[in-house]
Amino acid sequence: MQPIEILRDSPLFHGVTNAAFEEMARVFVPQSWPRHTEIMAGTQTSQRFVILTAGRVKITRSNGHNGRELILWLLGPGDGFDVIALLDGEPHAVSAHTLDEVHGFSAPMAQVRAWIAEDAKFRLAAHRYAAAQLRELSELATDLALHDTATRLARLLLRYLGGSDTHPSQACLIDDLPHDELAAMIGSVRIVVNRLLSHLRRESIVRSKGGRLRVLDLQRLSEEAALLKQTA
């Protein structure tokens, strides 16, 4: 799929007419970033809006005193950022770092906000996309507040890797992530995730082959995620 087709397929443009999309696409400029690079600091989030066409980006908050990091969103092709700054026009205190070589398109934030104001279909698509990101943030807050680390990890794996409805591109977001990145997605540390994944592998719930995680026993993973009652 060509980059412009990936851009068109983004949920941010669902329902937007071809004519409106073509006008918008003329403003977006292609950009690329190497692996493990900061694309955008919090002070820059209100300046340009980025939509990815290849690679993964993590949107994080971090503690400058102890170096701990929490991944708020993990984004892939078709995703855009920063949605919070897009909605309120204010800088958002997050950082965006690449996990792979990343390609995408960007446009001035003021222009994207103008499109939202002028185009009802684009406005609806952007609001739906923002709602989905807020729902993810709500799930993260719930997991951090209400579940232990083992349950949080199981819920993360289930969300991305489990179930017949999981899109392959969704699984590819995390199936080869280093353990420290998985830990940052659940508010933990690498050594704890190492131990928990070893347990899941010993129990034949997941496997790691070629550096990629796969779910072997969906029901038992659901039990670990506290979504099903444990059986005796």
Side-chain angles (χ1 to χ4, degrees), residues 8 10 14 37 60 68 78 84 87 122 125 127 147 165 173 184 192 214:
R8 182 67 178 95
S10 167
H14 282 180
T37 300
T60 67
R68 289 284 297 276
I84 302 299
L87 292 178
F122 184 58
H127 285 175
H147 299 296
D165 294 334
L173 287 176
V192 174
R214 292 290 184 268

Side-chain angles (χ1 to χ4, degrees), residues 155-183:
R155 289 170 69 88
L156 176 73
L157 298 180
L158 196 64
R159 189 176 306 134
Y160 283 90
L161 303 178
S164 58
D165 294 334
T166 299
H167 193 281
S169 63
Q170 183 83 348
C172 288
L173 287 176
I174 75 161
D175 64 355
D176 67 341
L177 278 185
H179 292 180
D180 57 341
E181 301 289 6
L182 291 175

Side-chain angles (χ1 to χ4, degrees), residues 23-64:
E23 179 182 345
M24 294 175 189
R26 283 194 287 270
V27 177
F28 276 94
V29 296
Q31 289 192 263
S32 298
W33 300 269
R35 188 181 182 193
H36 300 319
T37 300
E38 184 178 44
I39 292 179
M40 192 178 290
T43 55
Q44 302 170 309
T45 53
S46 61
Q47 298 173 16
R48 295 192 72 82
F49 190 77
V50 176
I51 300 180
L52 305 179
T53 57
R56 295 170 294 181
V57 169
K58 60 179 180 179
I59 309 297
T60 67
R61 292 290 294 266
S62 59
N63 186 321

Side-chain angles (χ1 to χ4, degrees), residues 81-121:
F81 65 91
D82 181 276
V83 170
I84 302 299
L86 177 65
L87 292 178
D88 65 13
E90 299 294 329
H92 186 198
V94 295
S95 294
H97 288 81
T98 63
L99 294 173
D100 316 294
E101 180 179 337
V102 166
H103 303 277
F105 290 86
S106 74
M109 186 67 82
Q111 178 62 71
V112 180
R113 288 173 58 80
W115 288 332
I116 287 176
E118 297 166 0
D119 191 305
K121 292 182 178 179

